[in-house]
Amino acid sequence: MALITSRFVAGEDQASERHGRQQLSLLRERLALVAVGGRDAHIERHRARGKLLARERIDFACDDGTAFLELSPLAAWGQYGNEVPAAGIVTGVGIVAGQPCMFIANDATVKGGSFFHETVKKHRRAQKIAWRLRLPVLYLVDCGGAFLPEQDRVFPDRDHFGNNFFQQCRMSQDGVPQISAVFGGCTAGGAYIPALSDEVIMVRGNARIHLGGPSIVKIAINETVDGETLGGAAMHTLVSGVNDHLADDEPQALARLREIVASLPAAALPAPPLAPRPPLYDTAELDALVPADPKQPYDAREIIARLVDGSEWHEFKPDWGAQLVTGFGSIHGHPVGILGNNGALVAEAALKGTHFIELANQRGVPLLFLQNIAGFMVGSEAERAGIAKHSANMVYAVSCARVPKLTLIVGGSYGAGNYGMCGRGFEPEFLFAWPSAQVATMSADIASNVMLELARSNLRGPADEARLAETERAVREQYARQSDPYYATSRLWDDGLIAPSSSRDVLGLALALCARRPIRKTATPVYRM
């Protein structure tokens, strides 16, 4: 291992530091808002019923002094008039009775815990992570079913609400424990969450499970019945047998949940194979490291030096394919192979990336992709060098990698570069982004120039400069808006925006979780590119 030498000097680029602080302040402000902001009346009514908030339930269930890794807290941000904070559901990984567990907790203070398009997507993503990493799933249910005005984006398609139940069944078949604690109403599709769970806990007086509520029963069969008689906790415990454990209040229900998890076969987080060491350089400097001007380049090694243990790593091919930095190190004691962008990828860099991914596969070392990429190189020289073939090889290597993959978008993530560096479509175990991230087919500048050139080439007469100017303005506005990191995280193109200075801890936890995933062994050799 060799020490990474940093050339970054804190305080030298005040514009970048000021920009970084502003981005971080905005992120924290918005995270605080989605947690409890803007719905005081709903929260007051919720508490009047003796109910805890979703994040309070998670905090109660988790072991004291342990971290909770929340996923996609800004889902649905900027949509629905910002009336569906966090998409009405809280998901993430916490430690319960020594075991890492995936929480999926409905927030009944947001539209009664109903499912919107992003709610379904977030629920399904949490299940997928739990399934791949063999994490017990704890459903904290307080769910009004599908939000009916959204039914065409929630109900009928393959990746809609029904797929959540399909995954729940397949996860059970695959031996992933799933426990439901029911704190409020579970109507229609929401009733299947506990009904398909291994064990169910219901809170007396508040919890209800019914396929159709009293109003639907009245309309469907003209039966008048109250909610407690129809599907209350006592009825389901004593009569139907749908419920397994009756709790008098929420703390008792959560205590019982912890007891059940404690009874599961032990599967604590594995100890890191190496002794963790802090980086030589301060991780807080990551908040100020990215230049305010996204066109200004910076060395990916500066980020790596503040992520890896001891700021040490074994760099692979340091003198060839310089647009891609590759090497092996460790984060919190967990070995990792890192690929970081230092520019658009030319043929040599793509070959280097493919070779390195094969090395990691052979050695069983997880991969971390640090994305800051304009794409693969274009132009006649690049094409003659075989960029189409070599970039395809890198995409192939990423797609077929057997080891766990993590992605952190620190800057631009454009075009096929997003693919070669393991974007969302390539199913990394976790994908996080910094507030400086931008995800799009291309930058706003390039997109507006391309569209302007196409518009000019289609003209048959004199150029209408006013119309061309409007085309340029509209394209630039669209790409600037859609490449904003909050636009991306709102639509769950990532697993959450994180503060740069917290990246080392987040990645360390993610690597520890990935160590639970069995890696398929093959006899494939490393082909030198």
Side-chain angles (χ1 to χ4, degrees):
M1 293 288 180
L3 179 67
I4 304 172
T5 302
S6 173
R7 291 176 174 82
F8 175 81
V9 179
E12 190 173 80
D13 187 348
Q14 294 185 4
S16 293
E17 293 193 15
R18 184 166 55 251
H19 182 65
R21 285 195 300 270
Q22 290 171 349
Q23 288 187 322
L24 195 54
S25 176
L26 180 62
L27 175 61
R28 287 170 174 164
E29 175 186 315
R30 291 182 172 180
L31 289 173
L33 188 60
V34 300
V36 292
R39 53 189 192 279
D40 291 348
H42 296 288
I43 292 174
E44 185 178 341
R45 185 164 61 249
H46 189 81
R47 292 197 185 284
R49 296 169 177 164
K51 300 170 76 172
L52 299 170
L53 300 181
R55 290 177 179 84
E56 291 172 342
R57 290 167 179 160
I58 292 171
D59 186 59
F60 193 105
C62 288
D63 294 351
D64 291 342
T66 59
F68 175 66
L69 178 60
E70 184 169 349
L71 302 174
S72 300
L74 291 167
W77 175 266
Q79 302 185 70
Y80 313 105
N82 262 349
E83 293 182 355
V84 191
I89 193 170
V90 181
T91 63
V93 181
I95 308 298
V96 179
Q99 294 211 50
C101 298
M102 177 64 75
F103 283 90
I104 301 179
N106 305 111
D107 187 347
T109 70
V110 178
K111 304 294 183 181
S114 297
F115 276 72
F116 288 69
H117 175 74
E118 290 73 20
T119 319
V120 172
K121 193 172 182 179
K122 186 172 174 178
H123 183 115
R124 193 174 68 251
R125 172 62 178 159
Q127 286 181 314
K128 185 74 74 176
I129 292 172
W131 195 353
R132 294 178 74 169
L133 302 184
R134 315 297 297 177
L135 301 174
V137 183
L138 308 181
Y139 300 97
L140 308 186
V141 194
D142 204 343
C143 170
F147 185 66
L148 296 182
E150 279 269 296
Q151 70 91 21
D152 63 323
R153 299 207 312 144
V154 171
F155 172 69
D157 207 352
R158 185 197 66 177
D159 292 332
H160 286 176
F161 206 4
N163 188 253
N164 295 2
F165 308 131
F166 173 79
Q167 287 198 154
Q168 200 170 341
C169 295
R170 295 295 298 275
M171 290 162 70
S172 181
Q173 181 188 43
D174 212 20
V176 177
Q178 297 173 87
I179 315 299
S180 280
V182 184
F183 301 99
C186 299
T187 302
Y192 286 108
I193 298 172
L196 292 171
S197 295
D198 304 343
E199 290 190 62
V200 181
I201 308 160
M202 295 182 72
V203 177
R204 189 192 303 272
N206 278 336
R208 294 176 185 174
I209 298 175
H210 34 56
L211 296 186
S215 59
I216 292 178
V217 170
K218 178 65 175 176
I219 294 170
I221 63 172
N222 198 32
E223 177 186 351
T224 301
V225 62
D226 64 87
E228 188 65 24
T229 302
L230 182 64
M235 188 282 290
H236 278 309
T237 305
L238 302 172
V239 180
S240 73
V242 168
N243 183 47
D244 304 308
H245 308 280
L246 181 62
D248 290 327
D249 53 28
E250 294 201 4
Q252 188 179 75
L254 291 164
R256 181 58 56 87
L257 181 69
R258 285 181 53 81
E259 289 176 11
I260 295 172
V261 174
S263 71
L264 298 175
L269 281 176
L274 303 173
R277 292 175 294 148
L280 181 65
Y281 305 103
D282 189 354
T283 57
E285 293 175 346
L286 291 171
D287 291 333
L289 197 147
V290 176
D293 181 0
K295 296 179 182 177
Q296 182 180 338
Y298 58 94
D299 193 342
R301 294 177 187 86
E302 297 287 0
I303 298 174
I304 296 167
R306 290 158 178 81
L307 294 179
V308 297
D309 294 346
S311 298
E312 294 177 351
W313 77 331
H314 169 64
E315 188 165 353
F316 176 71
K317 283 187 181 292
D319 301 315
W320 195 75
Q323 298 84 0
L324 185 66
V325 177
T326 58
F328 293 100
S330 62
I331 298 177
H332 281 287
H334 293 278
V336 62
I338 303 175
L339 301 90
N341 299 124
N342 269 1
L345 296 184
V346 298
E348 292 91 340
L351 283 166
K352 175 179 172 177
T354 303
H355 188 170
F356 182 73
I357 291 168
E358 287 202 345
L359 280 178
N361 264 319
Q362 186 200 58
R363 298 172 186 179
V365 178
L367 290 164
L368 167 61
F369 297 82
L370 300 177
Q371 284 199 14
N372 179 30
I373 183 167
F376 290 101
M377 184 57 72
V378 298
S380 58
E381 183 179 343
E383 296 298 348
R384 290 169 67 87
I387 188 63
K389 173 179 64 176
H390 298 315
S391 64
N393 282 339
M394 187 172 175
V395 168
Y396 195 103
V398 172
S399 302
C400 298
R402 300 182 301 277
V403 296
K405 297 171 290 187
L406 306 177
T407 301
L408 179 61
I409 303 176
V410 301
S413 176
Y414 296 117
N418 172 280
Y419 302 160
M421 291 295 290
C422 198
R424 192 60 146 178
F426 290 77
E427 298 192 351
E429 268 64 25
F430 292 98
L431 187 154
F432 296 102
W434 285 359
S436 52
Q438 296 183 7
V439 181
T441 53
M442 58 190 73
S443 70
D445 286 341
I446 294 177
S448 60
N449 288 333
V450 168
M451 293 303 293
L452 205 58
E453 186 66 24
L454 288 173
R456 287 186 187 279
S457 66
N458 289 330
L459 291 175
R460 296 182 179 178
D464 184 344
E465 294 300 331
R467 185 174 179 180
L468 290 173
E470 173 57 25
T471 297
E472 180 182 18
R473 185 207 63 78
V475 172
R476 189 176 293 275
E477 186 278 330
Q478 176 194 354
Y479 271 75
R481 173 172 49 85
Q482 293 181 351
S483 61
D484 182 87
Y486 292 95
Y487 187 95
T489 201
S490 172
R491 288 154 181 81
L492 289 102
W493 298 351
D494 55 54
D495 292 317
L497 296 181
I498 62 174
S501 54
S502 69
S503 300
R504 173 174 155 83
D505 290 340
V506 170
L507 293 172
L509 177 54
L511 285 167
L513 293 168
C514 287
R516 297 168 55 91
R517 203 202 89 181
I519 298 176
R520 180 170 53 87
K521 299 290 185 181
T522 68
T524 304
V526 173
Y527 292 102
R528 292 188 62 85
M529 297 295 109

